[in-house]
Amino acid sequence: MLLFLAFLIGIIAGLRAMTAPAAVAWGAALGWFDVSQTPLAFMGYKWTPWIFTVLAAVELITDQLPTTPSRKVPMQFGARIIMGALTGATIGASGGSLVGGLIAGIVGAVVGTLGGAAVRGKLAAAFGKDTPAALIEDAIAIVGALLIVSAVA
């Protein structure tokens, strides 16, 4: 089950790169799951969730800007893969499967990046503009991340 949750949090990272680590860091910091004896213990440190939350808020704002590059360009895609790896590994590490979680998170991030771009494009075309599609994607990422992290416990 943890590997499936790691895959799902990777999908969230593909949608919104910083929402996934913010949610996972809050889960670890609040003691919903324990990573304190793993190489990813820093995800449960006092300041980690706050830092990722600020970054997630900035990302939610900048995503709405017309100058923001596509999530499929190398820099954006790479960031999503890295965050999928980090968050998937953190969830996996909580159950002793850091490497499995890392791999599941990477696969999820690729699926979320490519699938999210395709779905958002179709939604934007249906609405005739991107903003409603982006807001729907934001909501899915936030609610999905919270549901996934709460299921890890």
Side-chain angles (χ1 to χ4, degrees):
M1 182 65 167
L2 278 182
L3 294 181
F4 181 63
L5 293 172
F7 170 75
L8 291 177
I9 203 67
I11 290 176
I12 300 299
L15 299 177
R16 293 288 176 273
M18 293 299 154
T19 299
V24 170
W26 277 110
L30 293 172
W32 292 357
F33 51 88
D34 183 23
V35 291
S36 63
Q37 302 303 310
T38 73
L40 297 169
F42 72 92
M43 289 297 282
Y45 290 175
K46 180 178 175 179
W47 293 104
T48 306
W50 293 103
I51 293 166
F52 278 123
T53 299
V54 168
L55 293 172
V58 169
E59 180 183 32
L60 290 173
I61 293 166
T62 59
D63 181 63
Q64 306 298 321
L65 303 175
T67 57
T68 302
S70 166
R71 73 184 81 198
K72 297 187 288 184
V73 300
M75 183 70 75
Q76 299 283 343
F77 206 145
R80 284 165 162 72
I81 290 172
I82 290 167
M83 290 301 121
L86 171 65
T87 55
T90 303
I91 287 174
S94 73
S97 185
L98 187 147
V99 174
L102 181 136
I103 293 167
I106 289 171
V107 172
V110 171
V111 169
T113 300
L114 299 175
V119 170
R120 180 167 166 178
K122 289 182 187 214
L123 281 173
F127 286 118
K129 56 184 178 176
D130 187 59
T131 302
L135 294 174
I136 290 169
E137 188 178 16
D138 291 345
I140 290 169
I142 293 167
V143 171
L146 294 174
L147 291 173
I148 293 162
V149 170
S150 67
V152 175

